[in-house]
Amino acid sequence: MAHPGRTRLSRASNARRRYEERQRKRESMAVRLPDNAKTASNSPTPRLATADPRGETWGEIQAALRDGLWYLRHRTPLPKILLGSLVLLLVLSFLGTLFSPQIGPNVWAMGVPLGGLTVEEAEVRLVNHWHNLSIDLVAGDQVIRRVRPAELGLRIDAAQMARQAYNVRLAGFPLGYSIAPELSVDRAVLQNMLIDLVSQVYVPPYEAGYEWQGEQLVAVRGRSSRELDVIMSMARLSDSPLAVVQNRRLELETKATPPNVVDSSPYLEQALSFLKGGFQLVGYDPFIDEEIPWTSTREEITKWLAAGSSGLTLRELAFKPFLDALNARLRQEARPRYLDEREVLEAVSQSIANQQSRAFLRVRYLPQTYTINSGDWGQRISRRTGLPFNLIDKANPGLNWNQLSVGQVINLPSRDALLLEPPVPHKRIVVDLERRYMVAFENGEVVMHWRVSIGRGEAPTHPGIFQILSKTDVAYGSGFSLCNSTGCGQWEMAWFMGIYEIVPGLMNGFHGAVRLPNGAYLDDGRVGNASTYGCVMAGNGEAKRLYDWADKGTVVEILAREFPPESDLARRAVEFMNSLGV
């Protein structure tokens, strides 16, 4: 059995022996010149022999390294010290982490580092990170909206995640440890959010239409709609909330409805003919008898056209911005006006379908307010504004008309309440209450005129702008002056045309001579006086002529001191009366 001490001694002797051999080899490497060597004239310096690095020199290096390693292993305690220190360090680190109130190293949640934080600090950091997250809501290749997770009903349990991170301890060392989010979905919040997105996601089907390419009109094919599928979008988020949070993106589910017409080429020539002729919208204001022309560019009108099942039709969504712009201008006027959307769409659609170059549109009036002046009372306000008092009273429920104060603001109804029939633009009747005279116009020319009787003081004829609302050969009326102990009698009016209500069910208008219950005629059949109960009376022959000429819808403009002319025809009527010396 070998003695350990001798083994170590023999290894030491071998090491010394190898060391001495290396020394001898280095000495033998010294350069010697032979005695008979001659130096060439062109080589004054002799060349030295060098050792091959892959030969003896490299072998010496390897031997030296082996000796050094053997020495460290057998002659010094350094490796044991290093190994022991490393083990001790790991044990101390584990014990420190085990009993520390802080989360272990290299622990993450939702990309947020939590190592070294307390559970409370980690919870705060996770909550802050969650509030700063954003998720893109995408339909097709379009980002519809960017929202916070909470807006989609997504919730996290940050406290639970922080506790899980703490329980990881040293499992995150050295490769790291990620905590999966604790997610839940509030379906009510999610549903409300998606319903709010319906109009934003919606793209209507594009009915086949047309566009200009230079000077050539070409057909454009129809395209399907894009509609949000709320139920399927809710299911997508509810089934994989973690993927939505990680990708910061929710692909919304949509569905499509095809257009009614895909190919517009069959009506291409029809569209070209319509566009070459030009197209104009004409607004008509019957109160002031004014026509307002509106035009647009060829390209914009082309966008309004769509191919229907049997011809051209109006693309309403493309036309609506133009209509909105017109209304914005009309509403800014001193007396705000507007175009009714339903009426305009019907009129323009009809004109396009019939290949008409113009569409006539009724200009309407918005309700207004009136500021009380000194001396104002109900009937005076009525005559100033041209609105029957019953309409003003209805617009101000609960108002005490006996307690008006200067500066008080009251409501006025829209003037359109007086013109209930489609207006007849080429005819107009003008009555001047001061002159007690009537003039009728057709196509801008005077066609008839005569004296008339008007309402007496206790039942005055109302000034304003009205229209023929009804026509009847014979009408009947009554008044308190005809009442006695046996009852109230009735008078008879020929060729009656109603123009406005003074109270519901009781209408004033035009008529001929009034036959009283006793067989006599009102004011003995004379005209030109203030003798009626609010109507405008002419002789029977003249009343029949007006009755036969006037159409329902014909506008009637009644003038007074408080209500001057508004239309050019009314101003011309005053000039005409002046020329007659009336």
Side-chain angles (χ1 to χ4, degrees):
M1 184 173 183
H3 194 281
R6 291 177 183 175
T7 302
R8 288 194 295 269
L9 181 60
S10 61
R11 290 179 178 174
S13 299
N14 290 337
R16 284 195 298 272
R17 187 167 52 255
R18 287 193 295 272
Y19 174 78
E20 290 171 356
E21 288 177 357
R22 286 196 299 274
Q23 287 293 103
R24 285 195 299 272
K25 288 180 180 181
R26 280 195 291 270
E27 291 174 358
S28 66
M29 294 293 291
V31 180
R32 298 178 184 176
L33 290 176
D35 294 339
N36 58 353
K38 294 182 180 180
T39 304
S41 60
N42 57 349
S43 302
T45 305
R47 297 178 62 187
L48 299 177
T50 58
D52 185 354
R54 292 172 297 179
E56 295 179 355
T57 302
W58 177 240
E60 289 181 0
I61 294 173
Q62 288 178 321
L65 290 174
R66 285 195 300 269
D67 292 345
L69 289 174
W70 179 88
Y71 185 82
L72 287 174
R73 287 199 306 267
H74 299 88
R75 292 300 185 186
T76 66
L78 182 59
K80 297 177 180 179
I81 294 174
L82 292 176
L83 180 60
S85 299
L86 179 60
V87 172
L88 180 60
L89 181 61
L90 291 175
V91 170
L92 292 176
S93 178
F94 175 77
L95 292 175
T97 303
L98 188 63
F99 297 102
S100 171
Q102 296 175 328
I103 296 171
N106 217 11
V107 179
W108 302 72
M110 297 189 301
V112 178
L114 304 179
L117 301 178
T118 64
V119 172
E120 292 77 13
E121 292 170 340
E123 181 182 350
V124 171
R125 180 172 291 187
L126 289 173
V127 169
N128 291 337
H129 175 74
W130 181 254
H131 288 328
N132 290 326
L133 283 181
S134 61
I135 296 175
D136 290 339
L137 306 182
V138 181
D141 56 354
Q142 180 185 2
V143 176
I144 302 299
R145 190 181 296 182
R146 182 166 291 169
V147 300
R148 302 297 183 194
E151 295 178 79
L152 290 174
L154 288 168
R155 304 283 188 267
I156 60 165
D157 190 340
Q160 177 63 20
M161 292 169 64
R163 287 192 294 270
Q164 290 181 13
Y166 177 76
N167 292 334
V168 168
R169 307 298 183 179
L170 285 176
F173 181 82
L175 299 179
Y177 193 99
S178 180
I179 304 296
E182 293 284 333
L183 292 173
S184 61
V185 181
D186 187 328
R187 293 180 62 84
V189 173
L190 174 59
Q191 182 175 348
N192 290 336
M193 164 57 74
L194 293 176
I195 290 174
D196 185 55
L197 288 176
V198 167
S199 60
Q200 195 171 348
V201 172
Y202 179 68
V203 175
Y206 179 83
E207 300 295 338
Y210 308 91
E211 68 178 14
W212 290 94
Q213 294 181 358
E215 291 301 312
Q216 183 178 7
L217 185 68
V218 299
V220 179
R221 293 183 64 82
R223 297 184 295 271
S224 296
S225 68
R226 184 182 71 188
E227 305 163 40
L228 179 62
D229 190 325
V230 174
I231 302 300
M232 294 302 296
S233 296
M234 288 181 65
R236 167 166 282 202
L237 176 60
S238 299
D239 292 344
S240 55
L242 181 57
V244 170
V245 173
Q246 289 175 337
N247 297 328
R248 308 288 194 268
R249 182 183 179 94
L250 172 60
E251 296 281 352
L252 299 171
E253 294 285 347
T254 60
K255 51 190 176 182
T257 301
N260 294 316
V261 178
V262 176
D263 184 13
S264 60
S265 57
Y267 308 112
L268 180 60
E269 291 301 321
Q270 186 178 345
L272 183 61
S273 174
F274 176 80
L275 292 168
K276 282 185 175 180
F279 185 66
Q280 186 180 59
L281 279 70
V282 181
Y284 178 65
D285 184 336
F287 287 93
I288 60 178
D289 192 33
E290 176 189 42
E291 287 190 357
I292 312 171
W294 294 297
T295 58
S296 187
T297 64
R298 179 187 69 175
E299 286 70 22
E300 186 170 19
I301 296 173
T302 303
K303 293 178 182 177
W304 300 347
L305 297 182
S309 57
S310 59
L312 297 179
T313 186
L314 174 67
R315 191 186 307 280
E316 294 183 0
L317 285 177
F319 175 74
K320 195 171 180 302
F322 181 79
L323 175 58
D324 291 342
L326 294 182
N327 272 330
R329 277 184 277 166
L330 290 171
R331 287 189 174 98
Q332 291 175 356
E333 297 175 343
R335 189 174 251 177
R337 301 182 290 178
Y338 73 101
L339 298 169
D340 181 86
E341 182 175 312
R342 180 188 57 80
E343 292 178 348
V344 172
L345 293 178
E346 288 180 1
V348 176
S349 296
Q350 193 67 35
S351 295
I352 292 174
N354 295 335
Q355 293 281 290
Q356 296 169 337
S357 61
R358 306 178 88 194
F360 288 90
L361 317 173
R362 163 80 178 270
V363 178
R364 296 187 172 275
Y365 281 77
L366 290 167
Q368 290 184 272
T369 58
Y370 178 88
T371 302
I372 302 298
N373 298 301
S374 177
D376 275 345
W377 58 293
Q379 289 297 334
R380 183 178 181 183
I381 296 170
S382 173
R383 296 182 71 84
R384 278 186 173 183
T385 59
L387 294 166
F389 177 73
N390 68 300
L391 294 180
I392 301 176
D393 184 46
K394 186 177 179 181
N396 296 273
L399 179 64
N400 188 339
W401 292 98
N402 295 319
Q403 294 182 356
L404 298 179
S405 57
V406 174
Q408 183 178 354
V409 177
I410 64 172
N411 297 318
L412 297 180
S414 168
R415 307 179 81 189
D416 292 310
L418 303 175
L419 305 187
L420 302 178
E421 295 287 332
V424 179
H426 61 285
K427 292 182 178 181
R428 197 174 191 91
I429 302 171
V430 179
V431 177
D432 190 319
L433 297 180
E434 308 302 323
R435 291 176 170 87
R436 300 172 189 173
Y437 205 84
M438 184 214 78
V439 180
F441 291 88
E442 183 171 2
N443 295 321
E445 301 296 328
V446 175
V447 292
M448 60 189 79
H449 59 93
W450 48 70
R451 288 190 177 275
V452 292
S453 291
I454 62 172
R456 59 184 67 193
E458 69 273 18
T461 304
H462 199 288
I465 298 176
F466 313 102
Q467 66 179 166
I468 304 298
L469 298 176
S470 64
K471 297 177 69 174
T472 182
D473 293 353
V474 179
Y476 300 92
S478 182
F480 289 111
S481 61
L482 300 179
C483 297
N484 53 37
S485 58
T486 62
C488 296
Q490 283 188 325
W491 61 69
E492 182 181 293
M493 299 168 287
W495 316 117
F496 182 84
M497 296 189 294
I499 57 176
Y500 66 87
E501 280 189 334
I502 50 175
V503 295
L506 182 59
M507 186 168 284
N508 279 346
F510 292 102
H511 57 73
V514 177
R515 186 176 179 178
L516 299 173
N518 60 6
Y521 284 91
L522 180 68
D523 203 19
D524 295 327
R526 292 174 298 183
V527 296
N529 301 315
S531 57
T532 74
Y533 287 86
C535 292
V536 178
M537 183 178 70
N540 275 347
E542 295 167 335
K544 184 178 187 309
R545 184 181 170 192
L546 183 66
Y547 183 92
D548 292 338
W549 171 84
D551 304 306
K552 282 182 69 173
T554 299
V555 176
V556 180
E557 189 167 355
I558 301 179
L559 311 179
R561 282 192 304 269
E562 309 96 319
F563 193 85
E566 289 195 8
S567 69
D568 284 340
L569 286 180
R571 285 184 280 271
R572 285 178 55 193
V574 171
E575 294 173 358
F576 179 76
M577 296 175 205
N578 288 337
S579 69
L580 296 177
V582 177

